[in-house]
Amino acid sequence: MPDYPLYIAIIGRAGVGKSTLVNSLRGLRASEERAAGVGVTETTVAPTVYLHPDDPSIRFWDTPGVGTPQFQADKYLDKIQFQRFHVFLLVTCSRFTEHDHNLASQLLREKKHVLFVRSKIDIDIRNAQSDYGESADNVKETITVDIRQNLTTCGIENPVIFLVNNQKPEELDFPEMVSYIMGHAPEYKAKAENQMDAAIKAAFSEEKAASSCIIL
């Protein structure tokens, strides 16, 4: 029996590094064959799927940026057909905005798994080191605490947060993020499969009830 597929959507505003994150998760550079397109303008115009290199049942979906004219914030989740996805990596390269909070809250209400990813963190570390002589560890800790407080204030409890440098995935929280996703994949798949089974059973029950009705 084939392994149940796990759909992981990478979402967030345009320009936060979603496509680069997809490539890093697959061990690819943007210039390599089969890599997601990366550019200074929006390159992803529709949800696009990419297989995990070692486990094709795990599928990363690169999505267009939220808040653009084509993907307005209030219609974004419906437009990308969010119900088909099981896990969401919500990416930002700065503070989490109202758009981010709203997206996360909607997804959590739908019982979806949401992981919070702060990309391009190397820029923040470099600036803090240059301006204030801060160590990389102190900058990372300060940003993590700030994100956690920010999300908690908005009603998001116990957020799972990763700080990454997409250009150097061996650094910071990237290895931990990969381990977390792979370690929780069986749990995510089991939940997705159970939800699918429940939906099929509910549809079958509705069909059976409809067929037993007496039509006058």
Side-chain angles (χ1 to χ4, degrees):
M1 182 176 178
D3 202 1
Y4 194 85
L6 178 65
Y7 288 176
I8 302 175
I10 289 76
I11 63 173
R13 288 166 287 145
V16 298
K18 299 187 299 297
S19 298
T20 304
L21 180 61
V22 169
N23 290 334
S24 295
L25 286 166
R26 301 175 66 230
L28 297 175
R29 290 287 185 180
S31 59
E32 295 184 70
E33 187 179 359
R34 299 180 294 108
V38 175
V40 294
T41 59
E42 181 73 356
T43 55
T44 306
V45 297
T48 307
V49 64
Y50 298 91
L51 302 184
H52 189 285
D54 300 322
D55 185 350
S57 71
I58 298 177
R59 301 169 191 184
F60 300 108
W61 287 77
D62 193 10
T63 66
V66 61
T68 62
Q70 294 77 21
F71 289 86
Q72 297 176 19
D74 59 337
K75 302 175 182 176
Y76 180 76
L77 290 179
D78 287 336
K79 200 160 184 179
I80 66 170
Q81 300 177 326
F82 79 97
Q83 290 288 6
R84 58 181 159 167
F85 304 123
H86 310 121
V87 182
F88 293 80
L89 303 186
L90 179 51
V91 185
T92 185
C93 62
S94 58
R95 286 176 176 268
F96 282 92
T97 66
E98 183 180 5
H99 285 330
D100 301 318
H101 296 148
N102 290 340
L103 281 178
S105 296
Q106 290 178 62
L107 292 169
L108 292 170
R109 283 197 298 269
E110 295 289 338
K111 308 301 182 184
K112 299 292 186 179
H113 299 285
V114 182
L115 311 181
F116 298 89
V117 182
R118 173 78 177 268
S119 67
K120 306 182 182 181
I121 199 68
D122 51 304
I123 298 174
D124 297 290
I125 291 175
R126 187 164 58 248
N127 289 341
Q129 288 176 328
S130 175
D131 294 341
Y132 305 107
E134 289 273 0
S135 70
D137 287 342
N138 283 347
V139 176
K140 183 173 177 287
E141 177 65 19
T142 298
I143 292 175
T144 301
V145 169
D146 180 69
I147 293 173
R148 191 175 304 280
Q149 290 177 342
N150 189 1
L151 294 174
T152 302
T153 299
C154 293
I156 299 172
E157 298 181 0
N158 303 315
V160 180
I161 303 164
F162 301 103
L163 276 53
V164 303
N165 174 1
N166 289 337
Q167 301 297 336
K168 295 183 177 180
E170 70 278 4
E171 297 181 354
L172 300 168
D173 292 342
F174 195 95
E176 180 185 348
M177 179 179 67
V178 172
S179 296
Y180 186 95
I181 292 171
M182 298 304 292
H184 285 77
E187 170 195 339
Y188 293 151
K189 289 181 181 181
K191 181 179 178 180
E193 190 168 9
N194 289 338
Q195 289 175 335
M196 178 61 72
D197 289 343
I200 292 173
K201 290 177 181 178
F204 177 77
S205 297
E206 290 177 5
E207 182 180 346
K208 185 176 180 181
S211 65
S212 65
C213 292
I214 300 174
I215 303 176
L216 300 177

